[in-house]
């Protein structure tokens, strides 16, 4: 019985090995039959007969994936001109490899490569002649800046790597490729600085990417959910950006970036809550101006998430907080409304979200018009009909404007969603409910981590030196240390200390 079991296991291993590896046939007809069967006789699979060193051969390629002009110039024309020597010496393509495993050929064809088969040989030549169709480099629409670079990533991985390397001409910049998605074979690139990025961080990111086992990977959004620490948290733990200068800045702080072929977004990790409120514009202005604008962004998070809840709590539970003169004007407006403040707020917030989503989905020429006209018409109509009070319209408008101040769309969405549970708590318990909600959010932020980094750093745990570039931005010459949160190999960085001012003869 044991001998029979060993024999069955042995046969199973042999069949599996045969399925995985298949030697190239010496017959050209059998090789072509195998390739066509593996690719189900797809109509865009093409081949052309060639002759080299008295051998009959075929060039096999997908016309939808390859550059046929390159096939003509780099393969067919050199073979026709030189009929002596070896194929790999005659072909002028920069990337040509030999393969003896026929099972790898279909996958190579799907990558945009062409394959050369010859009668009587048990090897194939794989030549890279991938076609490249890409759009021009433009500024990202959702990350515009007033000053600084105005170029952004596109859907072509090599172009995106060029944009990064062109800004960071440093031999320590390391790029690692990954192939994920069993059906889609999506190509990823992991970028980090060898002399700055923490080795444990790089190993952890490498482990999580290598552990991805899915048939379909379309976008970085898939990757984010598969590798982030807490997928059930509402707060984004990985920063999306389409700006090469922003990626370079984070790489120089010891973080890592992930680029995906077919998507213009880069993933930056690890990040903190305050990373989502920093913008390249902060460093292109005077430090005092940049600090003021950053404070406004952070205040917008509080306004967008708390103002509707505070209004509901004050009107419904604590009207004595309002000044006496303001009470009469507010009361005259809300007396005509048949709904309690919580229902008013929910109606207006949901209507606003519907208008915003409609504006995004509609064509750009129509979307802005629909958003403006829809907001004005609906806002004025509901007030005149007595369904909504004027103060509620003001509160919701201020909330909407504040939610769009954040440079990151992910944190903007989080802010708007956080407003709904806070409104429900304020509608049930007043200011006490808001306090419990805010405490829960703060506790969650303090407990949350992003790849071993405290999400609410440098506030929790408190690091005074890192606060120089958190709520406000200190002058550039005073930022002589990298942030501690990604645990870089080197904290200190060279900065001009303005010692030249002491010896300036113009001051005498």
């Amino acid at each position: 019985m044991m001998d029979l079991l060993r024999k069955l296991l042995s046969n199973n291993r042999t069949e599996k090995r045969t399925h995985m590896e298949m030697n190239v046939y010496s017959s050209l007809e059998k090789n072509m039959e195998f390739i066509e069967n593996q690719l189900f006789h797809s109509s865009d699979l093409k081949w052309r007969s060639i002759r080299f060193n008295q051998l009959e051969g075929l060039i096999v390629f997908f016309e939808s994936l390859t550059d046929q002009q390159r096939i003509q110039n780099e393969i067919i024309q050199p073979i026709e001109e030189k009929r002596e020597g070896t194929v790999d010496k005659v072909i002028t393509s920069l990337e040509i490899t030999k393969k003896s495993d026929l099972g790898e050929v279909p996958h190579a064809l799907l990558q945009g490569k062409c394959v050369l088969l010859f009668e009587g040989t048990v090897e194939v030549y794989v030549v890279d002649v991938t076609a490249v169709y890409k759009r021009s480099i433009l500024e990202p629409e959702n990350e515009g800046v007033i000053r600084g670079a105005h170029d952004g990533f596109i859907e072509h991985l090599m172009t995106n790597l060029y944009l990064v390397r062109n800004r960071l001409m440093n031999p320590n910049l390391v790029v690692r490729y990954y192939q994920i998605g069993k059906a889609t074979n999506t190509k990823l690139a992991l970028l980090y600085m060898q002399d700055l990025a923490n080795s444990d961080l790089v190993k952890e990111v490498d482990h999580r990417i290598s552990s991805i086992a899915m048939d379909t990977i379309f976008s970085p959004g898939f990757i984010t959910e598969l590798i982030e620490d807490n997928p059930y948290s509402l707060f984004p733990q990985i920063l999306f950006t389409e700006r090469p200068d922003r990626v370079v800045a984070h790489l120089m702080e010891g973080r890592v970036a992930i680029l995906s072929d077919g998507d213009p977004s880069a993933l930056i990790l690890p990040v903190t809550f305050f990373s989502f409120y920093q913008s390249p514009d902060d460093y292109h202005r005077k430090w005092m101006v940049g600090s003021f604008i950053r404070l406004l962004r952070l205040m917008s998070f509080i306004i967008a998430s708390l103002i509707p809840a505070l209004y509901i709590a004050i009107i419904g539970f604590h009207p004595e907080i309002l000044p006496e003169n303001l009470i009469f004007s507010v009361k005259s407006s809300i007396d005509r409304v048949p709904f309690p403040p919580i229902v008013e707020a929910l109606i207006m917030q949901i209507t606003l979200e519907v208008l915003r989503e409609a504006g995004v989905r509609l064509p750009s020429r129509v979307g802005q018009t629909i958003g403006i006209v829809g907001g004005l018409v609906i806002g004025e109509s509901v007030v005149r009909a007595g369904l909504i009070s004027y103060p509620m319209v003001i509160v919701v408008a201020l909330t909407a404007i504040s939610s769009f101040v954040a440079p990151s769309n992910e944190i903007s969405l989080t802010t708007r969603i956080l407003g709904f549970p806070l409104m429900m708590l304020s509608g049930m318990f007043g200011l006490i409910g808001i306090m419990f909600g805010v405490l829960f959010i703060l506790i969650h932020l303090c407990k949350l981590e992003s790849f071993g980094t405290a999400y609410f750093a440098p506030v929790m745990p408190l690091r005074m030196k890192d606060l120089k570039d958190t709520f406000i931005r200190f002058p550039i010459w005073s930022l002589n240390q990298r942030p501690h949160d990604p645990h870089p190999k080197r904290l200190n960085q060279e900065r001009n200390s303005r010692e030249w001012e002491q010896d300036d003869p113009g001051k005498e």
Side-chain angles (χ1 to χ4, degrees), residues 432-455:
I432 297 176
I434 295 176
M435 291 184 63
F436 273 104
V438 171
L439 283 173
F440 178 81
I441 293 171
L442 287 175
I443 293 170
H444 176 69
L445 287 173
C446 293
K447 290 180 63 179
L448 199 59
E449 288 190 352
S450 173
F451 289 84
T453 294
Y455 190 71

Side-chain angles (χ1 to χ4, degrees), residues 109 247 274 453 501:
L109 291 171
V247 170
F274 300 99
T453 294
E501 290 185 343

Side-chain angles (χ1 to χ4, degrees), residues 189-374:
L190 175 67
L191 286 70
Y192 63 92
M193 296 296 293
Q194 179 66 35
D195 61 333
L196 294 178
N198 187 282
S199 302
D200 293 334
L201 170 63
V202 175
K203 289 178 182 177
E204 180 63 23
V205 176
D206 174 78
H207 171 69
R208 295 192 191 186
I209 294 177
S210 303
S211 300
I212 294 176
M214 285 185 68
D215 289 338
T216 304
I217 300 290
F218 281 127
S219 68
F222 284 61
I223 303 166
T224 302
E225 291 195 26
L226 293 170
I227 67 174
E228 65 183 353
D229 289 69
N230 190 346
Y232 299 104
S233 174
L234 191 59
F235 289 90
Q237 298 147 58
I238 297 176
L239 177 63
F240 283 75
T241 183
E242 296 182 28
R243 298 192 61 86
D245 54 349
R246 202 173 184 186
V247 170
V248 170
H250 283 284
L251 289 174
M252 291 304 297
E253 290 181 350
R255 295 181 172 87
V256 302
I258 299 174
L259 297 173
S260 173
D261 200 11
D263 194 280
S265 300
L267 307 182
I268 298 174
L269 51 99
V271 291
T272 64
F273 171 79
F274 300 99
S275 302
F276 294 93
Y277 285 92
Q278 296 174 355
S279 169
D281 264 337
D282 297 345
Y283 305 92
H284 295 148
R285 299 186 175 107
K286 294 281 289 182
W287 69 271
M288 291 172 286
V289 178
S291 298
F292 175 72
I293 299 300
R294 185 179 293 180
L295 279 174
L296 284 181
R297 293 196 203 104
L298 291 169
M299 288 174 59
S300 72
F301 172 77
I302 300 173
I303 294 171
S305 56
L306 284 180
I307 287 295
L310 285 172
Y311 175 81
I312 294 168
I314 291 171
I315 297 300
F317 292 87
H318 315 282
E320 66 276 4
I321 294 177
L322 296 174
E324 186 177 345
N325 294 333
L326 185 59
I327 289 177
F328 293 108
S329 60
V330 172
K331 188 175 186 304
S332 62
S333 179
I334 64 176
D335 279 347
R336 299 183 304 138
V337 179
F339 308 117
I342 178 65
V343 177
E344 276 188 272
L346 288 175
I347 290 174
M348 288 302 294
Q349 286 286 73
I350 292 173
T351 303
L352 181 67
E353 291 299 317
V354 171
L355 282 173
R356 187 195 65 83
E357 192 67 17
V360 172
R361 304 304 165 203
L362 287 170
S364 58
R365 296 180 180 179
V366 184
Q368 295 181 358
T369 305
I370 293 296
I372 295 171
V373 174

Side-chain angles (χ1 to χ4, degrees), residues 300 303-304 307-308 392-405:
S300 72
I303 294 171
I307 287 295
M392 180 56 72
V393 174
I394 296 172
V395 167
V396 172
L398 182 60
T399 303
I401 294 171
S402 300
S403 68
F404 292 119
V405 173

Side-chain angles (χ1 to χ4, degrees), residues 444-504:
H444 176 69
L445 287 173
C446 293
K447 290 180 63 179
L448 199 59
E449 288 190 352
S450 173
F451 289 84
T453 294
Y455 190 71
F456 213 44
V459 176
M460 182 60 68
L462 181 63
R463 297 190 185 93
M464 297 300 295
K465 290 186 177 180
D466 286 355
L467 291 176
K468 290 182 178 181
D469 195 18
T470 302
F471 296 101
I472 60 174
R473 179 182 76 79
F474 276 43
I476 293 293
W477 46 265
S478 68
L479 302 177
N480 54 4
Q481 282 196 347
R482 293 180 174 85
H484 190 272
D485 53 88
H487 308 291
K489 292 180 179 178
R490 289 189 291 110
L491 278 174
N492 294 330
Q493 54 184 344
E494 187 176 350
R495 282 288 186 269
N496 191 336
S497 61
R498 296 182 65 87
E499 293 178 355
W500 55 269
E501 290 185 343
Q502 300 173 4
D503 303 324
D504 190 355

Side-chain angles (χ1 to χ4, degrees), residues 148-203:
H150 292 274
D151 56 347
F153 290 133
I154 62 173
E155 290 77 12
H156 187 233
L157 181 59
M158 291 299 121
T159 303
N160 295 340
L161 290 175
Y162 160 78
L163 292 173
V164 175
R165 281 204 177 271
N166 189 46
R167 281 179 169 80
L168 195 55
M169 298 180 183
N170 192 315
N172 287 297
L173 178 59
V174 179
V175 178
R176 289 186 183 177
Y177 291 126
Y178 298 85
Q179 205 90 19
I180 61 173
K182 295 179 180 178
T184 55
N185 290 307
T186 305
K187 190 175 184 179
L188 299 184
L190 175 67
L191 286 70
Y192 63 92
M193 296 296 293
Q194 179 66 35
D195 61 333
L196 294 178
N198 187 282
S199 302
D200 293 334
L201 170 63
V202 175
K203 289 178 182 177

